């Protein structure tokens, strides 16, 4: 995203702004960033031809080969796992890091000294100040990704969602997206929402589809298959009224509202991911048991699925927030450095 803004400044038509003050020019760039650059549909219609990314190793190799380092504002990275993830991403040549707050705990570490040429620091007077300064870096186009360290989620989101100084444009939805890699499935599986929206409205669910399809396109999945999840394949207006809205989302997809993709539902988990289950039930679905994306009906279903695949299936996961001006890596403080590293890679793919 930072590279995009730099390119914008060099476009010939912007010479028209040459008579305006620097502040007026910068206001234009921030306006463009907020209302044009982040739109998922725009991203989905300008995809470079690339091989579909099947696992996290493919993703990291793709990012490294692109030659573009994304700038990450890391808030209060005083813990080993956050630092370790950042140093892994620096080693992989996919990011530059701006550590906001906690400088004394970082700059003397072996990793910080090893990658010093790709690291900078912003001092802060505590977690809230660090969050505000990191969010400001994103808002000003000086960072492409925001990453949570040892700071409470509420403190960071308060800065992200601040109506005056935050980075969630009016009308956009904040939602959590997970990318999972597991031996039991032959490709990456993306799903939403396991952490943020308790009971998505129809409008929020539409945005979840937009965001996940956009992420799939960034991963080289040209026509992602999106399953709208339910406990069965039947619409039930009385017991499960949200299933009625699934038909409207399918119609929107067929009309091109989300870019190139295929959406179907309601489908249960097995019929979304296993062709044999589809055939056994006698169900016809354009997904053919090959879903790339699962949209869960509520946070309970998404969260239980997340914890099941990580605990019982040994899944590796990446988690990001979509909706703000830049993707937000909002891993749990207890997550491993590997999980946080994968989250950085996922964020870098769409930043």
């Amino acid at each position: 995203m930072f590279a995009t803004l730099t390119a914008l400044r060099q476009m010939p038509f912007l010479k028209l702004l040459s008579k305006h003050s620097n502040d007026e020019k910068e206001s234009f760039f921030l306006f463009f960033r907020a209302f044009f650059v982040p739109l998922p549909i725009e991203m989905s219609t300008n995809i470079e031809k690339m091989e579909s990314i099947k696992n996290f190793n493919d993703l990291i190799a793709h990012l490294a080969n692109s030659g573009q380092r994304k700038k990450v504002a890391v808030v209060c990275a005083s813990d080993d796992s956050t630092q370790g993830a950042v140093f892994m991403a620096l080693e992989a040549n996919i990011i530059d890091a701006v550590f906001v707050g906690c400088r004394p705990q970082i700059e003397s570490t072996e990793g910080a000294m090893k990658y010093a040429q790709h690291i900078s620091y912003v001092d802060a007077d505590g977690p809230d100040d660090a969050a505000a300064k990191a969010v400001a870096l994103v808002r000003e186009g000086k960072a492409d990704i925001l990453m949570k360290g040892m700071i409470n989620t509420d403190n960071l989101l308060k800065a992200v969602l601040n109506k005056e100084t935050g980075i969630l444009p009016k009308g956009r939805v904040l939602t959590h997206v997970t990318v999972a890699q597991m031996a039991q499935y032959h490709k990456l599986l993306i799903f939403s929402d396991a952490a943020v929206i308790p009971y998505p409205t129809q409008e929020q669910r539409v945005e979840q589809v937009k965001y996940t399809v956009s992420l799939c396109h960034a991963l080289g999945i040209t026509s992602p298959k999106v399953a709208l999840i339910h406990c069965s394949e039947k619409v039930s207006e009385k017991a499960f009224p949200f299933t009625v809205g699934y038909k409207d989302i399918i119609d929107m997809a067929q009309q091109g509202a989300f870019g190139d993709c295929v959406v179907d539902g309601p489908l249960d988990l097995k019929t979304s991911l296993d062709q044999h289950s589809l055939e056994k039930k006698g169900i016809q679905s354009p997904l053919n048991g090959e879903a790339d994306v699962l949209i869960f009906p509520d946070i309970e279903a998404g969260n239980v699925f997340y914890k099941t695949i990580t605990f019982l299936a040994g899944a590796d996961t990446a988690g990001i927030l979509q909706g703000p001006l830049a993707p937000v890596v909002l891993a749990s403080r207890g997550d491993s450095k590997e999980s946080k590293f994968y989250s950085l890679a996922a964020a870098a793919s769409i930043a």
Side-chain angles (χ1 to χ4, degrees):
M1 190 73 73
F2 186 59
T4 303
L5 289 178
T6 301
L8 283 173
R9 289 179 168 86
Q10 300 171 355
M11 287 184 177
F13 79 87
L14 292 183
K15 292 180 180 179
L16 295 172
L17 295 175
S18 59
K19 296 182 180 180
H20 294 263
S21 69
N22 288 335
D23 287 345
E24 289 172 327
K25 293 175 185 176
E26 194 63 27
S27 295
F28 170 81
F29 296 127
L30 293 177
F31 174 84
F32 188 97
R33 178 190 177 115
F35 293 100
F36 293 92
V37 175
L39 291 177
I41 303 306
E42 292 298 319
M43 291 176 61
S44 68
T45 55
N46 293 283
I47 310 166
E48 296 181 6
K49 291 188 179 297
M50 57 182 279
E51 292 292 325
S52 176
I53 292 169
K54 300 293 187 182
N55 54 57
F56 287 128
N57 286 339
D58 286 351
L59 173 58
I60 293 157
H62 167 72
L63 293 170
N65 290 336
S66 74
Q68 295 184 355
R69 288 176 174 267
K70 299 300 174 70
K71 186 160 287 189
V72 183
V74 192
V75 186
C76 299
S78 59
D79 61 300
D80 292 341
S81 63
T82 300
Q83 290 178 23
V86 173
F87 297 150
M88 288 174 73
L90 288 165
E91 177 70 24
N93 298 316
I94 64 176
I95 69 161
D96 287 331
V98 183
F99 287 110
V100 186
C102 301
R103 181 171 182 167
Q105 295 100 309
I106 302 168
E107 63 180 348
S108 61
T109 63
E110 182 180 349
M113 291 187 285
K114 181 178 180 180
Y115 305 110
Q117 63 179 328
H118 294 289
I119 293 174
S120 59
Y121 298 91
V122 174
D123 293 325
D125 296 326
D128 287 337
D129 187 45
K133 287 180 175 178
V135 164
L137 290 174
V138 172
R139 192 177 63 252
E140 294 164 6
K142 297 175 181 177
D144 306 300
I145 299 166
L146 182 65
M147 182 179 187
K148 172 183 175 290
M150 285 296 285
I151 178 174
N152 289 331
T153 298
D154 290 347
N155 294 70
L156 183 59
L157 289 183
K158 181 179 179 182
V160 170
L161 300 176
N162 186 292
K163 292 182 179 180
E164 300 296 326
T165 60
I167 54 173
L168 184 70
K170 185 177 180 180
R172 289 184 53 95
V173 172
L174 183 75
T175 194
H176 186 271
V177 176
T178 304
V179 184
Q181 171 185 293
M182 64 194 103
Q184 295 83 354
Y185 202 54
H186 60 284
K187 57 184 175 179
L188 292 174
L189 184 63
I190 297 166
F191 59 93
S192 185
D193 179 324
V196 174
I197 304 176
Y199 300 101
T201 63
Q202 178 73 355
E203 292 74 20
Q204 289 171 328
R205 191 167 285 112
V206 165
E207 294 303 303
Q208 289 174 339
V209 174
K210 285 183 182 179
Y211 296 154
T212 52
V213 168
S214 174
L215 176 56
C216 284
H217 288 161
L219 298 177
I221 306 168
T222 55
S223 185
K225 297 179 178 181
V226 181
L228 305 175
I229 298 297
H230 183 41
C231 59
S232 78
E233 295 77 28
K234 296 180 180 179
V235 172
S236 175
E237 182 174 2
K238 183 177 180 180
F240 302 102
F242 64 85
T243 59
V244 177
Y246 282 4
K247 177 64 167 60
D248 293 333
I249 295 175
I250 293 168
D251 289 343
M252 291 177 67
Q254 292 173 344
Q255 294 163 11
F258 310 122
D260 193 355
C261 67
V262 179
V263 180
D264 196 24
L267 291 168
D268 70 12
L269 192 66
K270 291 180 69 176
T271 53
S272 299
L273 303 176
D274 179 50
Q275 187 175 12
H276 176 70
S277 296
L278 269 177
E279 294 171 351
K280 196 170 182 179
K281 286 191 172 185
I283 297 171
Q284 297 293 322
S285 170
L287 305 190
N288 294 320
E290 290 272 344
D292 298 288
V293 175
L294 308 177
I295 301 296
F296 285 101
D298 56 44
I299 196 172
E300 292 178 287
N303 192 269
V304 168
F305 179 73
Y306 173 85
K307 290 176 178 175
T308 300
I309 63 172
T310 53
F311 183 65
L312 296 179
D316 292 317
T317 60
I320 57 175
L321 296 183
Q322 288 191 258
L325 295 177
V328 181
V329 175
L330 198 72
S332 166
R333 284 174 288 180
D335 284 349
S336 68
K337 67 179 181 180
E338 289 79 13
S339 178
K340 294 180 181 182
F341 171 46
Y342 296 146
S343 298
L344 274 173
S349 73
I350 56 172

